[in-house]
């Protein structure tokens, strides 16, 4: 049993040290930090002016109370804030929080789109550069079999006339 655990542990260590796993871990950490930045941007920068323009509405405080208990008049109780409704044990549908989350998602998706678009441009440029580097720059003289410049029309070694098809 001990040998089995040692073997499994060594296989796991080899797996964890591979470059792909480390790259993935770095990506997850950076993604989590990026998500926090986007959440802060939505909650602290975008939503306050948007709420102010819409009549001083705090989107994070928009909710609908489900009719689980009624007050003395038979109405659904009203709470001043989402926190007050939660503290009272009311069942709420938090559509304002959902709007904030939806805007965060759209911003993250757009940022990822721009990132992938930039990476694709870089990869296309690298492929184009590699293709031009791999293009032939010399040709072989059919008479003396030496390597000459591809643009040559006369061999500098044997002075033979060359056609442009070679």
């Amino acid at each position: 049993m001990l040998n089995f655990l040692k073997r499994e542990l060594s296989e796991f260590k080899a797996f964890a040290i591979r470059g792909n796993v480390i790259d993935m871990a770095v990506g997850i950490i950076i993604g989590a930090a990026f998500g926090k930045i986007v959440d802060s941007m939505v909650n602290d920068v975008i939503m306050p002016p948007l709420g102010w323009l819409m009549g001083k509405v705090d989107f994070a405080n928009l909710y609908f109370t489900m009719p689980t208990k009624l007050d003395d008049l038979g109405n659904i109780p009203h709470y001043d804030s989402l926190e007050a409704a939660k503290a009272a044990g009311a069942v709420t549908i938090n559509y304002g929080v959902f709007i904030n989350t939806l805007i965060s998602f759209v911003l993250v998706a757009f940022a990822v789109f721009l990132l992938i678009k930039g990476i694709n441009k870089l990869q296309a440029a690298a492929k184009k550069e590699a293709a031009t580097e791999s293009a032939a720059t010399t040709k072989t003289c059919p008479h003396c079999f030496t390597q000459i410049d591809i643009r040559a029309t006369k061999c500098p070694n044997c002075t033979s006339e060359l056609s442009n098809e070679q």
Side-chain angles (χ1 to χ4, degrees):
M1 180 71 173
L2 189 59
N3 286 337
F4 173 76
L5 289 175
K6 284 182 182 180
R7 188 174 54 233
E8 293 298 316
L9 186 61
S10 67
E11 285 181 27
F12 177 74
K13 184 178 175 183
F15 169 77
I17 293 177
R18 267 197 260 160
N20 293 343
V21 175
I22 293 170
D23 291 344
M24 184 178 70
V26 169
I28 290 170
I29 292 167
I30 290 174
F34 183 69
K36 289 180 182 180
I37 291 169
V38 170
D39 283 342
S40 176
M41 188 173 89
V42 169
N43 295 328
D44 303 327
V45 176
I46 293 175
M47 295 314 277
L50 187 61
W52 179 76
L53 287 173
M54 297 180 71
K56 298 184 181 180
V57 175
D58 179 12
F59 281 89
N61 210 22
L62 295 177
Y63 66 96
F64 175 75
T65 306
M66 298 296 293
T68 55
K69 56 184 176 181
L70 303 177
D71 63 9
D72 295 336
L73 301 174
N75 297 324
I76 300 171
H78 174 72
Y79 303 99
D80 291 332
S81 68
L82 179 60
E83 290 81 23
K86 286 184 177 182
V91 178
T92 59
I93 297 175
N94 308 322
Y95 64 91
V97 175
F98 177 73
I99 291 171
N100 284 351
T101 304
L102 190 63
I103 291 172
S104 294
F105 170 76
V106 169
L107 289 175
V108 169
F110 185 68
V112 169
F113 165 75
L114 292 177
L115 179 70
I116 297 298
K117 186 176 177 182
I119 289 171
N120 288 343
K121 279 186 179 182
L122 287 174
Q123 287 177 341
K127 284 181 182 178
K128 185 177 180 181
E129 184 179 319
T132 57
E133 287 178 3
S134 67
T137 57
T138 62
K139 62 182 175 182
T140 304
C141 174
H143 304 287
C144 67
F145 301 104
T146 58
Q147 292 294 315
I148 56 175
D149 191 278
I150 198 161
R151 297 169 292 172
T153 56
K154 192 172 198 175
C155 179
N157 296 319
C158 67
T159 68
S160 300
E161 291 291 327
L162 304 172
S163 66
N164 288 335
E165 297 174 8
Q166 295 174 359

